Amino acid sequence: MAAEKSSIRPKFRLYALSAFLCLWLVAICLRLIYLQIFSYGDFERRANHQQQRSFDLSPKRGIIFDRSGRELAMSIQVDSAFAVPTEIPDLPNTINLITRITKDDPRVVLADCRARRTFCWVARKADAEVVERIKALNLTGIHFQKEPKRFYPKRDLAAQVLGYVGTDDQGLSGLERQFNTELQGKPGKLMISVDARKRWFASVEKQPEPGDNVVLTIDQNIQYIAERELETAMEQTKAVSGTVIVENPRTGEILALANRPTFNPNLKKEITVEALKNRAVSDIYEPGSTFKIVTVAAALEEKLTRPDEIFDCQMGSIVINGMRIRDHKPYGLLPVSDVIANSSDVGAIKIALRLGEDRFY
């Protein structure tokens, strides 16, 4: 009996150990099934959140042409600097060195980098000189990506008409804002991945699609002349602001639209609210002498008067309903041509004469 009991004990222990191992294997399999099947999506999302970041790549905005196909607004490829904070051994010092060049607030950039540990812009669409200075520092964890940047080759020509865009290529004023959807295009996707050793890998998941082009009725040469004559008139009259519109009366096409003061849309930091104002379309004013051209043009077309017909201007004064209305200057007898020439809109008349656009009359 004692021998039988001694032989049963090892078998029992063996069976117990086998049962324990089986239960342990079943538990592991169940755990693996739970992790690999039921919790797979959640763990994949966590891993992607820790290891990957997706960023929009700006598309190339469409070109804005004048009526003759000359470029008034275009996009060029420039370098943007970004940081991978996990690669930078001394993040505060690195950001301090970069912001000395970019003139940005180092506290803001540093906070942004700490919040975005995988990817952070530090000098986006900066000037070539700024980018070269950053490259010369050869900083660890600072990399560069090509992006399109809006460029206005004629600088301040038709600035209020064209408008300008922000750093993210969103139209903020003028035609850039009016036709932003058409010009903007569709952004692409840049994927930044970081492995366990904190090494980063970048790949373009989706290429950006360029925007559509826009052709204006504006003529670059007429626009230049209009702006030059407007500046001359403002210097002579000591005016604070002014505007000139040159239109084709047969079609209604706007050939030039000039405003002063103006701005250079390439220099965003120097743009003022006053310079952005397009007075030709935003200001409300009585037509006054500007409508005199329409009246005289209609009278000439109907042959009711002639350019040399004499009119009595009554020394710049007339009484209507007991109220005396005065002209800006006292004129007596004047031919029709001099009535127009001496009107308060003489600047527009001079521009039309210098352009040789006799159809304006």
Side-chain angles (χ1 to χ4, degrees), residues 281-297:
V281 297
S282 64
D283 283 3
I284 300 175
Y285 52 88
E286 296 179 0
S289 294
T290 59
F291 197 74
K292 198 180 296 181
I293 300 175
V294 179
T295 306
V296 173

Side-chain angles (χ1 to χ4, degrees), residues 8 21 38 50 66 68 92 119 130 132 142 165 168 174 188 193 217 231 236 249 272 274 277 286 292 320 326 347 356:
I8 291 174
L21 291 175
F38 296 100
Q50 294 174 358
D66 82 337
S68 299
F119 181 97
V130 172
E132 289 302 320
I142 302 299
V165 301
D168 56 356
S193 302
T217 61
E231 288 184 351
Q236 293 173 350
T272 63
E274 184 66 17
K277 188 175 183 181
E286 296 179 0
K292 198 180 296 181
I320 299 178
R326 300 183 184 277

Side-chain angles (χ1 to χ4, degrees), residues 44-57 82-86 112-121 188-195 199-206:
E44 184 181 36
R45 285 191 295 271
R46 292 186 185 183
N48 289 337
H49 179 73
Q50 294 174 358
Q51 300 169 3
Q52 296 181 341
R53 292 291 187 276
S54 180
F55 300 91
D56 286 340
L57 283 178
F82 68 91
V84 180
T86 54
D112 194 24
C113 287
R114 283 174 172 167
R116 306 168 182 265
R117 298 185 58 81
T118 309
F119 181 97
C120 177
W121 293 113
K189 287 290 184 182
L190 175 68
M191 180 66 71
I192 300 292
S193 302
V194 179
D195 64 10
R199 295 176 300 184
W200 72 278
F201 306 90
S203 62
V204 178
E205 284 195 332
K206 179 184 176 184

